[in-house]
Amino acid sequence: MAGNLKKFVNPRFIKTIDLSLMKALLARHEGKFTDFSIDVLDQEEDAARGALHDLLTGAEDSYPEGLRADLHRIAELGDKRGLEIIQTQADRQGIDLFPDMKTGDEDAPNKAHEPKHIAVRVFLEHPDLFDAAADHMAMLAADRLHEYAGLERGVTIDLTPEKVEAFRTAVADLFRDAFLGDYCRVGDYADGDEINLVVSHGSMVSTMPVVEGLQERVISVRQIAHAVLRYSENTGMLRLARIRKAHQPEIAELFAAIILGRPGFFDGDDAQDLYTLRPIELAGPDFTFDHAYDPMIDRVLIIEAAADLMVPGKKGYPRVARTLRSRDLSGEALRHFGGTPVSFAGSWRLGELVFRILFKGDGKRQPQVTVKLRPPGVVQFRRTQHEARVMTLIERNGLTNDRDDFAVIDAAE
């Protein structure tokens, strides 16, 4: 992100940004500058922009830490994709960001409607909208989810501000010890039967070299990270993204105890024993995905597969002796094992599968999603509007493990 910040506050931005917006942004950190006075922005425009240029093109550690954090957050939404998310969230909240663009004038939108400028204005004038857009960006970017199956389905959430704050406090304590920073914010969003929590927090301080003139200096940067939690009331599944593996069990338990009010809800022996590639092993190299039930799926290509040779390890537990990996973008990756020593009827196991789902569409580029499945608990793909179809495809092809408690509940129903 540090590199992206310089791209964001580039000379074109400095020459065109509304000075009143920049004054309001810098005023949030008044008194914390060393060689800069906010009053210079009240001078003639050329002088004001010259002073702003000197400030923003200098080393990042010359900014107050709070300003650096503000600019990093704004930069995340200061592009075309960020603008689309801002507009979507504005529509949901009934906020009209562009009243002057709807007057019937034929003139082209002015510089104030560029994504960077809108991101700055929304950050200052609509902070709740900005937070919601930033959280939505984090949810879209989460492409690897670690899943926990609850003890039963249908456990609903009575989500109150008190519960969200209690959860935030508990997570802040955990992340404070891990990342040595105090910043922590939690946004909560309902999406059908799913509850989404986005935890924004400070990550570890990192250092990077910068050049000033003919000299090199090392500066420190603390970036903001986003952890994502998604809970489905229908299935009792909790999905975690962008959370260290060591923290995942504790975060899951905090969610269960505080948000659900059900301590130990994700402590079942099979809580993370979710996926299997056994049906593919039994079918052999000629396995193909059945997608005839979904008219929107055009085809499914198996583009990568990893076969693991299992041998006895310590105390009799099997271990991986070696791995044979096959990759073929045409979709024949699995079939290549037919001419190798790999035999899934013996000591070989299919450890990982990567497949690409191509959807029917009218655009120039066919919509597609690439999915990595690694039992027992990892399914990885960039979350899109096709997420439900991806998960249904996995389930319909027998790649999810049956759970006894779910079967009992379904039988009772």
Side-chain angles (χ1 to χ4, degrees):
M1 180 60 70
N4 293 339
L5 188 54
K6 289 303 180 185
K7 294 180 181 179
F8 180 79
V9 289
N10 57 23
R12 185 171 182 271
F13 171 85
I14 296 171
K15 289 179 180 179
T16 57
I17 186 65
D18 187 329
L19 290 177
S20 63
L21 287 178
M22 286 306 300
K23 184 174 182 180
L25 179 63
L26 298 179
R28 289 164 49 91
H29 312 285
E30 190 170 10
K32 298 181 181 179
F33 295 93
T34 54
D35 299 316
F36 179 82
S37 172
I38 298 174
D39 293 336
V40 300
L41 298 184
D42 293 327
Q43 300 177 6
E44 293 185 0
E45 183 171 348
D46 289 345
R49 294 194 185 277
L52 189 62
H53 177 275
D54 292 342
L55 172 68
L56 296 180
T57 58
E60 275 192 45
D61 66 343
S62 65
Y63 307 172
E65 184 173 352
L67 174 60
R68 193 159 62 227
D70 285 353
L71 290 173
H72 275 297
R73 295 193 66 206
I74 295 169
E76 288 183 344
L77 292 174
D79 57 18
K80 181 179 179 180
R81 186 185 185 204
L83 176 57
E84 291 175 354
I85 293 174
I86 287 175
Q87 288 176 304
T88 299
Q89 295 300 320
D91 290 341
R92 288 180 178 178
Q93 297 186 21
I95 298 174
D96 187 357
L97 296 176
F98 311 107
D100 53 335
M101 293 181 66
K102 301 175 182 178
T103 58
D105 295 337
E106 296 183 0
D107 293 335
N110 61 36
K111 63 188 179 183
H113 300 134
E114 293 180 356
K116 292 182 180 181
H117 299 239
I118 292 171
V120 174
R121 181 153 63 91
V122 172
F123 179 80
L124 292 169
E125 299 176 3
H126 305 282
D128 291 340
L129 169 59
F130 187 93
D131 287 344
D135 290 346
H136 190 69
M137 174 78 82
M139 287 188 284
L140 289 178
D143 60 350
R144 178 174 180 175
L145 298 182
H146 296 268
E147 300 175 289
Y148 287 78
L151 296 176
E152 58 185 276
R153 290 175 170 172
V155 176
T156 59
I157 294 178
D158 178 18
L159 195 62
T160 64
E162 291 76 17
K163 285 184 177 180
V164 174
E165 176 57 23
F167 181 76
R168 187 202 69 80
T169 301
V171 173
D173 290 341
L174 174 64
F175 285 162
R176 182 183 301 111
D177 293 338
F179 301 111
L180 306 179
D182 291 326
Y183 177 76
C184 185
R185 181 183 63 82
V186 175
D188 59 281
Y189 308 92
D191 183 10
D193 80 307
E194 281 197 343
I195 301 297
N196 297 271
L197 299 180
V198 179
V199 183
S200 303
H201 62 92
S203 63
M204 290 297 293
V205 173
S206 59
T207 59
M208 62 178 295
V210 296
V211 176
E212 291 185 353
L214 300 178
Q215 295 184 341
E216 177 182 305
R217 295 193 304 114
V218 175
I219 66 172
S220 62
V221 178
R222 182 188 295 277
Q223 301 177 15
I224 293 177
H226 302 279
V228 178
L229 297 88
R230 307 174 66 178
Y231 174 74
S232 171
E233 294 181 329
N234 285 343
T235 65
M237 297 288 296
L238 176 67
R239 297 180 170 94
L240 309 177
R242 297 184 174 186
I243 298 174
R244 286 181 177 180
K245 189 173 183 179
H247 293 155
Q248 290 168 13
E250 190 167 355
I251 295 290
E253 176 57 24
L254 290 175
F255 184 91
I258 298 174
I259 302 297
L260 288 178
R262 297 280 297 271
F265 186 70
F266 302 109
D267 286 351
D269 293 338
D270 58 353
Q272 290 190 282
D273 186 15
L274 306 176
Y275 301 104
T276 178
L277 296 175
R278 188 58 180 161
I280 302 178
E281 294 175 343
L282 294 174
D286 292 328
F287 172 87
T288 58
F289 278 92
D290 174 19
H291 59 82
Y293 67 90
D294 190 337
M296 289 302 297
I297 297 179
D298 182 23
R299 52 197 168 126
V300 182
L301 305 177
I302 298 176
I303 62 175
E304 190 170 345
D308 298 328
L309 178 61
M310 310 301 294
V311 299
K314 293 181 179 180
K315 298 182 179 180
Y317 293 105
R319 67 175 181 85
V320 177
R322 63 190 179 98
T323 298
L324 187 61
R325 189 173 291 272
S326 171
R327 181 174 173 81
D328 186 338
L329 296 181
S330 70
E332 301 294 319
L334 196 61
R335 289 193 172 95
H336 292 315
F337 286 137
T340 71
V342 172
S343 173
F344 295 125
S347 298
W348 289 89
R349 294 289 183 270
L350 189 59
E352 181 178 286
L353 194 77
V354 181
F355 53 95
R356 181 165 293 157
I357 308 171
L358 292 94
F359 299 94
K360 296 175 183 177
D362 299 328
K364 294 182 179 179
R365 187 175 185 275
Q366 189 170 19
Q368 57 183 260
V369 177
T370 300
V371 184
K372 178 183 291 185
L373 186 61
R374 185 190 305 126
V378 175
V379 60
Q380 178 177 346
F381 61 96
R382 187 164 293 280
R383 305 289 145 163
T384 69
Q385 69 270 28
H386 302 296
E387 179 176 352
R389 284 195 161 90
V390 173
M391 301 308 295
T392 300
L393 178 72
I394 293 172
E395 184 176 358
R396 290 285 293 261
N397 282 269
L399 305 183
T400 56
N401 284 324
D402 293 332
R403 305 189 67 238
D404 293 340
D405 53 325
F406 283 3
V408 171
I409 293 171
D410 289 341
E413 293 176 348

